[in-house]
């Protein structure tokens, strides 16, 4: 190919980046047009093969009837292939006495083939075109005949009267071959021009951004590949290396030296890899290990400069730790398998949509499923329970919540039993379900016992129904019962929409207690949520809907701060016909007493710790530190020795000096309750201390003293190590979920392009074929209609392409920066019902930093929309000379700080921030919203 392309006139090189961009766009458009023609050619090839099969079948069946019909069928087939713009040839196999194919003979050609080859019907292929042996075409034809699998290729053919590139497709038909060929020399020339242009631009980019490569964390080098007289690579010389080069591969002072001088036992595979890049000019991205260097690498190699110089630039990263992590991941998977084997419960794994069961270990309760299956419902689930299970699964998938239910199953012995099943969703980094892990317990005996109680339950329900009927018959009597009750009582009727869904409840009746507490006599007849809109925020309305759905009475204790109540209540709801009977009791006094009891317990617990270990007191006003005898024993000092906060500095482990400095600062400059872990050395023995302190304030909220305790926790270090191992296993499981999510995302995007753009363009092609017929018949109305349809299909294709590409790369971020990109996705989230305010930096930042901030902001908004229950939120990005600040705030339900790091979405943000050497702070109070502040240092990223 190179010899042919060098003989052609070279395209003029661009003199500016704008001209280069325009030229690349023109070449890419031309290449796409040619590729489209090839795809049409492939479609035509399938049609030709089908027609050949049809003609063979019909010809064979009609020969015995009428020779005239056979002639008509051949003529019809000949006219079909003559209309093709491709060269179509039909050849039959020539075999020796042993049945081996030794040649092919022409039996049919279309007009395009006749113009190219002349009259060759009945002639030998090897006689007319011996070059098919040298180029391997003959072997491919024999292969298609033997396997029956079609074959297609792009090949350069410089023999006989030809010197061109061809796209060629081979299909077996009977004892012969249908060969379809198209000249793609123009396309190949366009590809070569594009490669030359890219080489030129790459050279300019290399010169311009060499300083950038010297500052990146990846290793970078320029090498000269050395070839022997037979053009076989045997070594390379390092011409230039960047500062990160040595860190990533361990080679010292490499510039000017060859790899064999630095590492004589380097593997020969590296010579062939870099030699191929230098000779072909084709860039290569790959992962490879080196035993000689003892490392794994992720590499990108590309040729630079004049091809005759054999210069190759290599960007690489040491991924040895990643590979070790992957090995640890495989080990954790094996440990999970061992857990499944050792568990007494049934264990199973399901796909994200529950359509596929990956495996199930039945534990002699259910039959095992060792391979993936889609008919698990029929295998395990009782037919009467299948609709209910499908409904529960759909709800769990929609809410991404844990699934719990009891249902009937088909046991391994064929009988019907009961299981209690629990499954949790595994979420990917985007918060989407990747798979489900579940366990199930055999509850057959318990359910049999419950069945025996059904008779008693039925009788009890009849008594309740009878009593309810009596109460319904006398509203006045019911009102008197209500009014004599010390609890607030009310009756409500469900208000449903046209679909039967409950939208609200109408208050039918209230007792005197509620009238006295609210001062309202007009509640009867009004809507419940209009009078008390806060019931939805505290979860009371959801509880009412659940009672209506299940029919089971439920109770709840809740704090109600809305409408000026600010009290604790205990409520209970019982379903009555299509409504509810509700009781409500003010339990504020009891709740306050419980909170005071908890507070006293905490103080008592701290006092017990002080009694067992060493305690201290720090007077903030006089800056005086007083130690107990236990403190002196911990530090090996005589009782009564003078001490001060700086005493910690005399014993602190050098690596924990910053902890001691922070402790002293908190005591002297910023008094506050604290908890620290500090390592000290006493008599050459290391001791790990757990330091806890509480701040006491006076009536003016000013600090007066701090009470603290120091606990020797050295013996707990072994338990901490075990906890670290557990966290590593959890991280491995998260990594597995991320990798599976990435594969699912790639599959989804591929399917979107195939089923979206591909189908639309194919429909457009068929419409254009129909348009050609209308043009021939000059049917103007149909021509106009066909053109409008084609334009609409192309518009759909453009829209679908933009959608798919926007999912891959945020174009606004690349072209216009954070301000436009953040604003765009905030507008897209406005449909979620949250009033979202977004402000970002107008100036541009490095691409990798913009992408990281964009993804972090995107994840913050996702978490707010999915989990906060907020009505208002904001995303704000600011900066100063040293840091970039990203703030995400909402007025939602808030979260417990002990649970803040357990979500996968928030964990993803923490991982990104950690990679950027940043800091994440969370301020949240249940019921009062959440503020997340992310601080990223600029010195590590610019």
């Amino acid at each position: 190919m190179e010899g042919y392309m060098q003989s052609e006139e070279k395209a003029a090189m661009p003199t500016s980046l704008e001209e280069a961009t325009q030229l690349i766009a023109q070449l890419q458009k031309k290449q796409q047009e040619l590729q489209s023609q090839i795809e049409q050619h492939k479609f035509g090839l399938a049609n030709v093969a089908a027609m050949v099969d049809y003609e063979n079948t019909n010809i064979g069946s009609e020969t015995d009837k009428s020779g005239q019909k056979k002639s008509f069928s051949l003529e019809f087939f000949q006219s079909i292939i003559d209309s093709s713009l491709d060269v179509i040839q039909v050849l039959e196999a020539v075999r020796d006495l042993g049945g081996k194919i030794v040649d092919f003979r022409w039996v049919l050609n279309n007009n395009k083939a006749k113009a190219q080859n002349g009259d060759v019907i009945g002639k030998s292929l090897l006689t007319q075109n011996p070059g098919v042996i040298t180029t391997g075409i003959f072997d491919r034809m024999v292969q298609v005949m033997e396997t029956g699998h079609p074959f297609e290729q792009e090949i350069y053919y410089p023999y006989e009267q030809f010197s061109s590139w061809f796209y060629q497709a081979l299909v077996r038909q009977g004892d012969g071959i249908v060969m379809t060929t198209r000249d793609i020399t123009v396309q190949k020339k366009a590809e070569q021009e594009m490669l030359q242009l890219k080489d030129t631009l790459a050279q300019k980019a290399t010169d311009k951004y060499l300083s950038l490569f010297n500052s990146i964390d990846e290793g970078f080098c320029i090498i000269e590949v050395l070839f022997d007289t037979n053009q076989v690579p045997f070594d390379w010389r390092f011409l230039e290396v960047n500062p990160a080069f040595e860190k990533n591969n361990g080679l010292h002072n490499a510039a000017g030296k060859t790899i064999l001088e630095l590492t004589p036992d380097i593997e020969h595979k590296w010579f062939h890899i870099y030699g191929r890049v230098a000779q072909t000019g084709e860039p290569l991205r790959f992962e490879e290990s080196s035993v000689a260097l003892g490392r794994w690498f992720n590499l990108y190699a590309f040729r630079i400069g004049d091809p005759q110089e054999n210069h190759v630039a290599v960007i690489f990263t040491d991924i040895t730790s990643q590979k070790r992590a992957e090995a640890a991941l495989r080990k954790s998977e094996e440990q999970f398998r061992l857990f499944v084997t050792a568990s007494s419960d049934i264990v199973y794994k399901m796909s994200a949509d529950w359509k596929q069961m990956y495996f199930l270990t039945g534990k002699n309760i259910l039959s095992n499923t060792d391979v993936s299956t889609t008919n698990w419902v029929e295998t395990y689930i009782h037919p009467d329970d299948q609709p209910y299970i499908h409904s529960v699964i759909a709800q769990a998938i929609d809410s991404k919540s844990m699934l719990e239910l009891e249902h009937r199953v088909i046991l391994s012995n064929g009988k019907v039993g009961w299981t209690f099943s629990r499954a949790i969703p595994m979420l990917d980094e985007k918060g989407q379900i990747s798979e489900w892990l579940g366990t199930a317990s055999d509850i057959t005996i318990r359910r049999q016992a419950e069945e025996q109680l059904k008779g008693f339950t039925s009788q009890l329900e009849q008594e309740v129904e009878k009593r309810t009927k009596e109460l319904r018959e006398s509203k006045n009597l019911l009102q008197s019962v209500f009014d004599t009750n010390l609890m607030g009582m009310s009756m409500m009727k469900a208000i449903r929409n046209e679909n039967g869904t409950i939208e609200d409840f109408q208050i039918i009746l209230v007792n005197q207690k509620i009238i006295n507490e609210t001062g309202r006599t007009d509640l009867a007849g009004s809507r419940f949520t209009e009078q008390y809109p806060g019931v939805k925020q505290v979860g009371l309305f959801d509880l009412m809907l659940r009672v209506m759905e299940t029919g089971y009475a439920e109770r709840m204790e809740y704090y109600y701060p809305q409408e000026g109540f600010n009290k604790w209540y205990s409520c209970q709801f019982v379903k009555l016909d299509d409504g509810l009977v509700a009781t409500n009791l003010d339990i504020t006094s009891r709740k306050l007493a419980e909170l005071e009891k908890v507070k006293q317990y905490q103080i008592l617990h701290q006092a017990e710790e002080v009694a067992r270990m060493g305690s201290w007191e720090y007077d903030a006003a006089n800056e005086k530190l007083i130690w107990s005898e236990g403190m002196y024993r911990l530090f090996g000092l005589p009782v009564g020795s003078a001490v001060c906060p700086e005493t910690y500095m005399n014993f602190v482990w050098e690596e924990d000096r910053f902890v001691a400095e922070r402790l002293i600062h908190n005591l002297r400059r910023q008094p506050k309750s604290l908890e620290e872990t500090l390592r000290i050395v006493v008599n050459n023995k290391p001791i790990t201390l757990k330091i806890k302190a509480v701040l006491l304030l006076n009536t003016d909220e000013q600090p007066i003293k701090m009470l603290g305790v120091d606990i020797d926790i050295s013996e707990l270090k072994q338990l901490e190590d075990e906890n670290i191992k557990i966290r590593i296993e959890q991280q491995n499981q998260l990594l597995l979920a991320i990798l599976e999510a990435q594969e699912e995302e790639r599959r989804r995007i591929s399917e979107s392009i195939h089923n979206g753009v591909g189908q639309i363009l194919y429909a457009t092609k068929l419409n254009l074929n129909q348009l050609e017929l209308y043009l021939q018949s000059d049917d103007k109305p149909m021509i106009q209609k066909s053109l409008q349809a084609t334009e609409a299909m192309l518009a759909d294709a453009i829209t679908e392409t933009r959608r798919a590409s926007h999912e891959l790369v945020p174009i606004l971020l690349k072209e216009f920066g954070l301000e436009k990109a953040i604003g765009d996705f905030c507008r897209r989230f406005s449909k979620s019902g949250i009033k979202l305010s977004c402000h970002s930096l107008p100036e541009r930042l490095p691409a990798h930093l913009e992408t990281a901030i964009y993804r972090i902001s995107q994840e913050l908004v996702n978490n707010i929309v999915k989990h906060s229950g907020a009505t208002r939120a904001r995303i704000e990005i600011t900066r100063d000379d040293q840091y970039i600040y990203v703030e995400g705030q909402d007025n939602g339900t808030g979260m417990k700080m002990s649970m803040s790091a357990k979500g996968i979405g928030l964990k993803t943000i923490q991982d990104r921030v950690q990679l950027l050497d940043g800091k994440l702070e969370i301020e949240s109070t249940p019921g009062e919203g959440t503020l997340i502040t992310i601080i990223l240092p600029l010195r590590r990223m610019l």
Side-chain angles (χ1 to χ4, degrees), residues 470-516:
E470 293 174 354
L471 291 174
R472 190 185 302 115
E473 292 174 350
S474 177
K475 182 177 179 181
N476 293 333
L477 178 61
L478 179 62
Q479 185 68 58
S480 65
V481 173
F482 275 11
D483 291 341
T484 58
N485 200 308
L486 297 179
M487 294 188 296
M489 297 186 67
S490 61
M491 292 182 61
M492 289 175 280
K493 180 180 180 181
I495 300 176
R496 300 179 182 269
N497 60 17
E498 58 184 9
N499 297 323
T501 303
I502 297 177
E503 295 180 334
D504 205 341
F505 291 88
Q506 183 181 23
I507 301 175
I508 304 300
L509 190 66
V510 297
N511 72 344
Q512 192 63 39
K513 181 69 174 180
I514 292 181
I515 295 175
N516 295 339

Side-chain angles (χ1 to χ4, degrees), residues 508-790:
I508 304 300
L509 190 66
V510 297
N511 72 344
Q512 192 63 39
K513 181 69 174 180
I514 292 181
I515 295 175
N516 295 339
E517 286 189 352
T518 62
R520 299 278 299 277
T521 59
D522 58 346
L523 291 175
S526 62
R527 287 178 172 246
F528 184 59
T529 60
E530 290 180 355
Q531 299 299 327
Y532 305 104
V535 296
K536 291 187 176 181
Q537 297 183 20
V538 299
L540 202 61
F541 190 75
D542 291 336
L543 178 68
M544 297 166 69
L545 294 178
R546 190 163 60 248
V547 172
M548 290 295 296
E549 179 180 356
T550 64
Y552 295 114
E554 292 196 36
R555 65 174 60 246
M556 174 182 177
E557 292 185 356
Y558 63 96
Y559 178 67
Y560 195 79
Q562 286 81 7
E563 292 88 53
F565 285 93
N566 297 317
K567 292 183 178 181
W568 280 91
Y569 293 96
S570 174
C571 68
Q572 181 171 350
F573 294 95
V574 178
K575 184 178 180 181
L576 179 62
D577 292 334
D578 195 30
L580 295 170
V581 176
T583 60
N584 209 42
L585 178 64
D586 185 348
I587 59 170
T588 304
S589 299
R590 176 171 67 81
K591 279 293 183 179
L592 292 177
E594 290 176 354
L595 292 175
E596 183 63 25
K597 185 181 296 184
V598 170
K599 181 178 178 181
Q600 294 299 326
Y601 173 77
Q602 292 174 344
I603 295 175
L604 177 62
H605 183 65
Q606 292 176 354
E608 290 175 348
E609 290 183 340
V610 170
R612 286 189 299 110
M613 301 298 179
S615 63
W616 49 268
E617 176 181 331
Y618 181 73
D619 189 335
N622 300 321
E623 297 186 350
K624 183 178 181 181
L625 180 64
I626 301 174
W627 276 9
S628 68
E629 292 184 3
M631 287 293 296
Y632 285 107
R633 286 193 298 270
L634 283 175
F635 284 78
L637 294 175
V639 176
S641 301
V643 293
C644 62
E646 286 73 14
T647 302
Y648 285 96
M649 300 299 294
N650 300 330
F651 296 86
V652 67
W653 189 289
E654 186 60 28
E655 295 178 358
D656 287 1
R657 179 170 292 274
F658 73 97
V659 180
E661 292 173 349
R662 184 169 63 232
L663 174 63
I664 296 170
H665 175 78
N666 287 339
L667 290 174
R668 290 193 180 277
R669 304 299 180 193
Q670 193 177 4
K672 63 180 181 180
S673 299
L674 58 87
E675 181 173 343
E676 297 280 5
T677 300
L678 179 69
R679 291 177 294 179
I680 62 174
V681 179
V682 177
N683 298 325
N684 296 322
K685 179 183 177 182
I687 298 175
T688 302
L689 298 179
K690 190 72 173 183
I691 304 174
K692 296 182 180 180
V694 293
L695 177 63
L696 302 181
L697 304 177
N698 58 20
T699 56
D700 297 328
E701 298 296 321
Q702 296 297 317
I704 54 176
K705 66 175 58 179
M706 291 184 68
L707 298 178
V709 58
D710 289 14
I711 308 171
D712 184 353
I713 62 169
S714 302
E715 296 180 357
L716 299 178
K717 296 303 293 180
Q718 183 177 357
L719 294 177
E720 291 181 354
D721 292 339
E722 294 177 357
N723 289 335
I724 291 174
K725 292 181 180 178
I726 295 174
R727 288 197 296 270
I728 291 176
E729 293 177 357
Q730 294 173 342
Q731 292 172 356
N732 289 337
Q733 295 175 359
L734 179 58
L735 176 60
L736 175 61
I738 291 173
L739 293 176
E740 291 177 347
Q742 291 174 343
E743 289 300 321
E744 177 62 19
E745 182 65 8
R746 294 189 184 101
R747 183 204 64 75
R748 185 188 64 76
I749 294 172
S750 173
E751 185 176 82
S752 174
I753 294 174
H754 178 272
N755 295 339
V757 178
Q759 297 300 323
I760 294 173
L761 291 179
Y762 179 69
T764 304
K765 172 188 175 298
L766 295 179
N767 203 62
L768 288 174
N769 289 341
Q770 191 66 30
L771 176 61
E772 183 178 0
L773 297 177
Y774 295 146
L775 289 171
Q776 293 174 358
S777 61
D778 197 23
D779 189 347
K780 293 183 179 180
M782 293 307 297
I783 290 173
Q784 181 64 25
K785 182 178 180 181
S786 182
L787 286 174
Q788 291 175 352
T790 301

Side-chain angles (χ1 to χ4, degrees), residues 228-458:
D228 60 18
T229 56
N230 295 323
Q231 289 302 300
V232 176
F234 67 91
D235 201 350
W236 71 80
R237 187 183 313 282
F238 292 101
L239 302 179
E240 296 182 32
V241 298
N242 74 335
F245 174 88
E246 181 177 328
K247 181 185 71 175
N248 281 278
N249 64 12
L251 297 177
H252 307 286
N253 302 322
K257 298 178 182 178
T258 68
I259 186 62
L260 290 178
E261 291 175 344
L262 296 169
T263 310
D265 55 346
I266 192 70
E267 298 83 0
H268 285 190
K269 62 184 176 182
W270 297 99
F271 302 146
H272 299 300
I273 292 173
Y274 294 144
R276 184 168 64 254
V277 173
Q279 289 178 327
T280 66
E282 296 181 0
L284 183 63
R285 186 183 300 277
F286 61 102
E287 290 184 0
E288 191 57 75
S289 66
S290 173
V291 177
L293 296 176
R295 305 188 186 210
W296 270 89
F297 300 99
N298 182 294
L299 309 100
Y300 179 61
F302 55 94
R303 187 175 69 189
I304 61 174
D306 194 320
Q308 285 74 25
E309 294 177 345
N310 295 324
H311 287 182
V312 175
V314 184
I315 302 174
F316 63 96
T317 305
D318 183 355
I319 59 171
T320 306
S321 59
Q322 174 186 334
K323 289 296 182 179
R324 291 172 179 168
E326 292 174 356
L329 176 61
R330 289 190 294 271
K331 181 178 180 182
S332 69
E333 291 176 343
E334 178 60 26
Q335 291 174 344
F336 175 74
R337 286 288 183 182
L338 293 176
F339 160 74
V340 170
T341 303
S343 174
S344 60
D345 285 340
I346 300 166
V347 181
Y348 57 91
K349 180 188 288 189
M350 308 297 298
S351 62
D353 57 5
W354 282 78
K355 292 182 179 179
Q356 190 167 12
M357 174 179 283
Y358 295 140
F359 73 85
L360 180 142
T361 303
K363 299 298 181 181
N364 296 323
I365 302 171
L366 302 179
S367 301
N368 290 338
T369 291
D370 298 322
V371 295
S372 181
T373 180
T374 57
N375 64 342
W376 62 273
V377 175
E378 294 75 8
T379 303
Y380 297 112
I381 308 302
H382 190 278
D384 294 343
D385 287 357
Q386 291 178 10
Y388 167 65
I389 288 178
H390 286 308
S391 173
V392 174
I393 289 174
Q395 293 176 9
I397 292 175
D398 185 60
S399 61
K400 299 179 183 177
S401 59
M402 182 172 65
L403 179 148
E404 288 186 339
L405 74 163
E406 297 180 0
H407 60 88
R408 287 173 290 181
V409 295
I410 301 172
L411 301 176
S412 58
N413 58 11
K415 297 181 179 179
V416 176
W418 283 84
T419 62
F420 172 72
S421 182
R422 178 187 288 113
I424 60 173
M426 302 299 292
L427 304 181
D428 59 24
E429 59 182 359
K430 295 184 178 180
Q432 300 301 315
I433 299 175
S434 61
E435 63 181 10
W436 294 78
L437 295 179
T439 61
S441 302
D442 184 4
I443 60 169
T444 303
I445 296 177
R446 194 200 80 192
R447 293 293 300 203
Q448 291 173 347
E450 291 175 352
E451 288 294 329
Q452 296 176 0
L453 296 176
K454 278 188 176 181
F456 301 104
T457 304
S458 176

Side-chain angles (χ1 to χ4, degrees), residues 870-902:
T871 59
R872 297 193 309 276
R874 70 177 180 91
I875 297 294
E876 186 166 350
I877 304 171
T878 58
R879 63 168 292 180
D880 56 23
D881 293 338
Q882 296 181 347
Y883 299 96
I884 290 179
Y885 305 88
V886 181
E887 289 187 351
Q889 187 175 21
D890 63 75
N891 67 341
T893 57
M895 56 183 172
K896 295 181 180 179
M897 298 306 296
S898 61
M899 303 295 292
S900 62
K902 294 187 177 181

